[in-house]
Amino acid sequence: MSPESPASPSVVLVTGAGTGIGNLTARALAHAGHTVYASMRDIRGRNAPRVAELLEEARRDEVDLRVVELDVQSEESANAAVATVLDQAGRLDTVVHNAGHLFVGYVEAFTAEDIAHLFDINALGIQRVNRAALPHMRERRAGTLVYVGSTTSAVVPPFLGPYVASKFAADALAQVTSYELNPLGIETTIVMPGPFTQGTEHFPNASHAGDPERNKGYAELDSLVERNVEATEQLFTPGVDAHPRAVAQEIVRVLALEPGTRPFRTVVDFTDAGVERVNEVMAEAQRRFIERMGFGELLHVATQVN
């Protein structure tokens, strides 16, 4: 079975599918044979052209690619999106948590309210969507949650403080939620992309620290911040196509695996950051700790495969 052929076609909801990794993932999964709901905000307004593109691709290529309104900052919107999927498709097998935003700048120059706003998107947005989707998955005792995390949770680069903190929070939520869902047959995979400077709007649309007085206190570091993208690009191996389509392809591969055999973490990184080694050490420490607590059964998803 090739990575492009799912073990069985799934009904998949992808958050933040207007651009970048989410958009590429929604399209790749649809072409792999899944029924995909690409979700985004304001589908009749500013995102209407993106909606039209996706629906035209679905018609042209004869794939089951649909669009649904979903603002991860709204519980009502998350509930409505999941209800739409269930009403139209009859079930929801997989949620790909991708929606997110980037902050660049000096931590002190972001207000607490700025950081709370970012956490609301990058971490609490996941919680809202999970609360909408999990009652259905728990009732079926089946499902998969795919989290688009970040290698920044392991390597912690400079000048991205609020973003890194929000991705740490999202990663922690994903891990602890997985313990509680494994016995119920709901599987978790955390995909950890490295940085990408092309193919997404992550860097171009990033928010910047807005307190000018606090920014002045770090003026001697401004040149470092200004070459952040260049500093990232020099990490790529020469000649490597560091494009986020690789993340979409990895998600397609993971969902093509049989339930119960999917990796808990997988890394898509072109900077040789060594995150895989960090993950191995962390996973072993966590396994030993949880088993010493007597909760070893929480580490493995309960499926018919096991």
Side-chain angles (χ1 to χ4, degrees), residues 102-160:
L102 178 66
F103 272 12
V104 178
Y106 310 117
V107 175
E108 185 187 341
F110 288 103
T111 66
E113 290 74 20
D114 289 335
I115 297 176
H117 174 71
L118 186 64
F119 269 67
D120 195 48
I121 299 170
N122 291 358
L124 299 185
I126 288 172
Q127 180 71 356
R128 292 187 185 98
V129 176
N130 273 350
R131 281 175 53 83
L134 284 175
H136 170 70
M137 290 183 174
R138 285 190 289 102
E139 183 179 1
R140 294 178 60 214
R141 298 186 75 86
T144 303
L145 301 179
V146 177
Y147 298 85
V148 179
S150 173
T151 57
T152 63
S153 298
V155 295
V156 193
F159 311 125
L160 304 176

Side-chain angles (χ1 to χ4, degrees), residues 149-155 168 171 175 189-194 263-269 273-287:
S150 173
T151 57
T152 63
S153 298
V155 295
F168 261 114
D171 193 287
Q175 289 186 68
T189 292
I190 302 172
V191 181
M192 301 177 72
F264 182 70
R265 289 187 186 274
T266 182
V267 178
V268 184
D269 177 40
V275 173
E276 295 89 346
R277 296 191 295 277
V278 174
N279 288 345
E280 289 174 5
V281 172
M282 182 170 64
E284 176 61 16
Q286 289 172 335
R287 181 192 64 77

Side-chain angles (χ1 to χ4, degrees), residues 1 3 5-8 187 252-263:
M1 180 179 294
S5 302
S8 60
E187 199 161 13
V252 170
R253 184 192 73 82
V254 166
L255 291 184
L257 300 173
E258 292 294 334
T261 69
R262 293 164 184 151

Side-chain angles (χ1 to χ4, degrees), residues 281-296 299:
V281 172
M282 182 170 64
E284 176 61 16
Q286 289 172 335
R287 181 192 64 77
R288 292 178 59 194
F289 184 78
I290 298 302
E291 288 180 347
R292 287 173 57 212
M293 293 181 74
F295 295 151
L299 297 171

Side-chain angles (χ1 to χ4, degrees), residues 15-16 33 125 147 170 199 211-212 221 243 258 298:
T15 69
Y147 298 85
D211 187 329
L221 302 181
H243 193 282
E258 292 294 334
L298 301 182

